[in-house]
Amino acid sequence: MLAGTFELKDAISRVLALLGRHHGMMRGAVMLLDVDTNELRIVASHGLDEDGARRIKYQIGEGITGRVAQTGKSIVVPQISREPMFLDRMGARKKTLKQQELSFICVPVLVNRKPVGVLGVDLRYKSDRDYEQTSKFLSIIASMIAQAIKVSHLLEADKQRLVDENIHLKQELRERYDFSHIVGNSGPLRQVYEQVTQVARTNTTVLLRGESGTGKELIAHAIHYNSLRSSKPFIRVSCAALPETLIESELFGYEKGAFTGAQGRKKGRFELAEGGTLFLDEIGDLNVSTQIKLLRVLQEREFERLGGTETIKVNVRLIAATNKEMEQAIAAGQFREDLYYRLNVFAIFMPALRERKSDVLLLADHFLEKYAREHGKSIKRISTPAIDMLTSYHWPGNVRELENIIERAVLVCETNVIHGHHLPPTLQTAEGSGTITRLQLEATVGAFERDIITDALKTTRGNRKTAAKLLDTTERVIGYKVRKYGIDCDRFRS
């Protein structure tokens, strides 16, 4: 009985009823210690008025029951009428005692050798009753109840841990995708923030457009975690990553036997995202047959699994993203025009990184801190020449390319400053800068020398004398190099 249910109170009640039917118990109750009030309260009873039983409470050390809970030792009262410590809070025994004598046995419920409650039992008085044997029997019952309580506490603690962990993870996701955690304050990105704020708390379908690597998935997360559906699932599907033969079954699911290898029913992404948000990335790569089904879901909010006849209703908010020119795809017959208009209810255009150059340094600092921590390095900053190289680059791969470049720089950097030579060749050659130069030993050494001197002058706010000490050389040499490389010291004095 105790092992067959997770409802502890119901299980204890059935145990007491069993004792009443087969072991001559007239009344019985299990009282457990309330950790907040340090009082004993009835959690299950037999032969007592339930409403009255709920109001009964004992202090530790009070009466027979309180004494057992205090000492952790059993007490046997052969004749209740002769025991002055017996309190009978409910008054249930007064009527019975006028007709016959009662015996009372109270045994402790011990968890880890500490009393957490008591089991109290009323029996008809018999002069020849073996009270020691009966007390041992009830102690065994109490120990089994104690084990059930211990398991229940473990289950409750585990359940609470999972709930707390779930709440913590959801909060972490909300904070991670909060607007304040998206790096960038340029004009084009502020416009994106405004659009996200407008659409987030609605159920409107959103189409995110922009080049690859501009952060469309990050914005999709931000929309979801700032919406009314934030506590529900966020399911992502990459339409380009799945072959045409699998995309339909992944989106809508399938029934057993729908095709070779379909061993059982499987829910699709639409069902898994019920109540939440479904993010369809690279939707421009969706095949035409799946586009027809998707159009129906958007119009009717219902679909059938592959190989099934049951119509399934869905409550899902759809966010789609693409890096393709949809108008050209429609003209070429690769994308349905009616589906495009269904998706294009609220379009957000993600600006390319070259269109928001003021964010490059903010993003570079963010990724520097992230990967320095991840790889256990103490890199404090990026040198001025390296910053100039980052800001003059055209970033065809957008934010994703910048992140990869900073991670590479962190890996190859052995000092606490990232210099220009730590950046990949694409940022240092004609291909990256748009200039045609012939790289020679003298020019390479000169570029490195200029980089070091510029960084020292920046540190000393343009003071040549202090910069010379920093580089362990003379002020005269620094002055010569400044003139040679055309370095503007006044630039660092403000």
Side-chain angles (χ1 to χ4, degrees):
M1 282 182 177
L2 290 167
T5 179
F6 292 123
E7 290 295 329
L8 183 63
K9 292 181 181 180
D10 293 342
I12 295 174
S13 295
R14 287 198 293 273
V15 169
L16 293 175
L18 189 70
L19 290 173
R21 285 196 304 272
H22 300 289
H23 297 279
M25 181 185 78
M26 295 181 67
R27 295 176 198 84
V30 172
M31 303 186 82
L32 295 181
L33 190 64
D34 188 323
V35 291
D36 294 325
T37 62
N38 208 33
E39 294 175 338
L40 289 165
R41 291 183 178 276
I42 294 176
V43 294
S45 63
H46 175 75
L48 296 173
D49 175 55
E50 287 188 12
D51 292 333
R54 289 195 196 99
R55 295 191 296 269
I56 299 301
K57 58 184 178 181
Y58 284 85
Q59 300 293 331
I60 298 297
E62 186 180 21
I64 301 291
T65 302
R67 183 68 63 84
V68 171
Q70 184 181 47
T71 61
K73 295 180 180 180
S74 303
I75 293 180
V76 177
V77 181
Q79 292 177 279
I80 288 176
S81 61
R82 297 185 179 183
E83 177 54 64
M85 281 188 65
F86 192 80
L87 300 179
D88 191 18
R89 283 272 162 85
M90 286 193 66
R93 299 168 181 87
K94 289 180 181 178
K95 188 176 180 181
T96 308
L97 285 171
K98 291 178 181 177
Q99 301 170 356
Q100 61 179 348
E101 185 63 84
L102 295 174
S103 299
F104 179 68
I105 301 176
C106 189
V107 296
V109 176
L110 304 172
V111 173
N112 297 328
R113 298 183 180 180
K114 292 182 179 180
V116 297
V118 298
L119 166 63
V121 170
D122 282 2
L123 302 169
R124 288 185 176 85
Y125 169 69
K126 292 180 181 178
S127 57
D128 59 345
R129 186 186 294 278
D130 187 342
Y131 287 103
E132 185 179 353
Q133 187 69 22
T134 305
S135 179
K136 284 181 180 179
F137 168 68
L138 291 175
S139 294
I140 292 170
I141 300 296
S143 68
M144 294 170 74
I145 291 172
Q147 183 61 26
I149 290 169
K150 189 175 180 179
V151 170
S152 177
H153 286 171
L154 289 171
L155 287 171
E156 282 295 323
D158 200 40
K159 183 179 177 183
Q160 188 59 45
R161 181 184 61 79
L162 289 171
V163 169
D164 292 343
E165 189 176 297
N166 197 9
I167 291 169
H168 173 71
L169 287 172
K170 284 181 177 178
Q171 184 61 31
E172 201 174 74
L173 282 169
R174 283 195 191 95
E175 290 175 1
R176 181 179 176 185
Y177 295 111
D178 189 69
F179 298 137
S180 60
H181 288 75
I182 298 176
V183 180
N185 57 16
S186 62
L189 201 61
R190 282 203 300 270
Q191 188 177 350
V192 171
Y193 295 158
E194 288 172 12
Q195 289 179 301
V196 171
T197 305
Q198 289 168 349
V199 79
R201 299 186 73 79
T202 70
N203 290 316
T204 304
T205 301
V206 179
L207 179 62
L208 301 174
R209 300 185 64 174
E211 295 177 13
S212 181
T214 51
K216 294 188 289 295
E217 186 174 348
L218 188 68
I219 294 299
H221 274 101
I223 292 171
H224 172 73
Y225 287 106
N226 288 278
S227 73
L228 300 174
R229 297 172 179 262
S230 59
S231 60
K232 299 295 182 180
F234 177 88
I235 304 294
R236 178 187 179 274
V237 181
S238 176
C239 300
L242 294 168
E244 289 186 10
T245 52
L246 288 179
I247 186 68
E248 194 172 322
S249 61
E250 280 295 319
L251 286 176
F252 306 110
Y254 55 80
E255 297 286 352
K256 183 179 179 181
F259 50 83
T260 304
Q263 301 296 325
R265 174 187 286 182
K266 181 187 175 183
K267 288 184 177 182
R269 304 295 178 91
F270 269 100
E271 284 183 85
L272 294 174
E274 176 63 26
T277 302
L278 180 65
F279 176 49
L280 297 180
D281 199 9
E282 306 297 350
I283 198 167
D285 294 308
L286 204 62
N287 64 70
V288 176
S289 61
T290 309
Q291 289 178 30
I292 297 168
K293 275 201 166 185
L294 181 59
L295 178 62
R296 187 197 164 198
V297 176
L298 289 172
Q299 288 177 334
E300 310 296 335
R301 298 290 171 180
E302 62 183 29
F303 66 94
E304 289 85 32
R305 295 192 193 98
L306 205 64
T309 56
E310 180 190 356
T311 300
I312 300 165
K313 296 280 186 182
V314 286
N315 172 26
V316 171
R317 198 248 186 96
L318 192 70
I319 300 176
T322 183
N323 60 0
K324 287 191 172 184
E325 291 293 337
M326 299 300 286
E327 292 78 10
Q328 292 179 14
I330 292 167
Q334 297 171 349
F335 201 86
R336 290 180 64 95
E337 189 173 7
D338 47 3
L339 177 58
Y340 171 69
Y341 292 129
R342 277 284 173 185
L343 293 170
N344 196 36
V345 179
F346 194 97
I348 298 177
F349 288 85
M350 294 299 298
L353 188 55
R354 62 182 171 275
E355 296 170 6
R356 50 186 188 107
K357 284 291 182 73
S358 61
D359 291 336
V360 170
L361 187 54
L362 291 172
L363 287 162
D365 285 338
H366 169 74
F367 293 134
L368 174 63
E369 184 182 345
K370 174 184 175 181
Y371 288 111
R373 183 172 60 249
E374 193 173 301
H375 296 294
K377 294 201 172 187
S378 180
I379 302 174
K380 303 298 182 185
R381 60 190 179 86
I382 303 170
S383 70
T384 302
I387 289 171
D388 293 339
M389 293 167 68
L390 291 171
T391 53
S392 63
Y393 187 57
H394 61 284
W395 299 110
N398 293 295
V399 180
R400 189 179 291 126
E401 184 183 9
L402 173 60
E403 182 175 4
N404 293 339
I405 281 173
I406 296 299
E407 184 177 10
R408 176 192 181 278
V410 168
L411 288 171
V412 299
C413 180
E414 297 299 332
T415 62
N416 60 358
V417 180
I418 287 180
H419 293 286
H421 60 275
H422 294 132
L423 300 176
T426 49
L427 273 74
Q428 303 178 45
T429 62
E431 181 186 351
S433 62
T435 59
I436 299 173
T437 56
R438 219 178 139 187
L439 203 61
Q440 296 176 343
L441 178 62
E442 186 180 353
T444 305
V445 172
F448 181 69
E449 196 172 45
R450 185 183 191 279
D451 190 348
I452 296 296
I453 293 169
T454 303
D455 199 46
L457 287 167
K458 182 183 177 183
T459 303
T460 61
R461 295 186 177 275
N463 189 312
R464 295 185 190 186
K465 187 176 181 180
T466 312
K469 288 182 180 178
L470 199 64
L471 295 175
D472 198 19
T473 186
T474 64
E475 185 180 356
R476 180 176 169 275
V477 170
I478 290 294
Y480 168 71
K481 297 291 185 183
V482 165
R483 288 192 298 275
K484 179 182 177 181
Y485 298 122
I487 301 171
D488 182 11
C489 294
D490 294 333
R491 174 186 175 190
F492 308 111
R493 283 177 182 152
S494 57

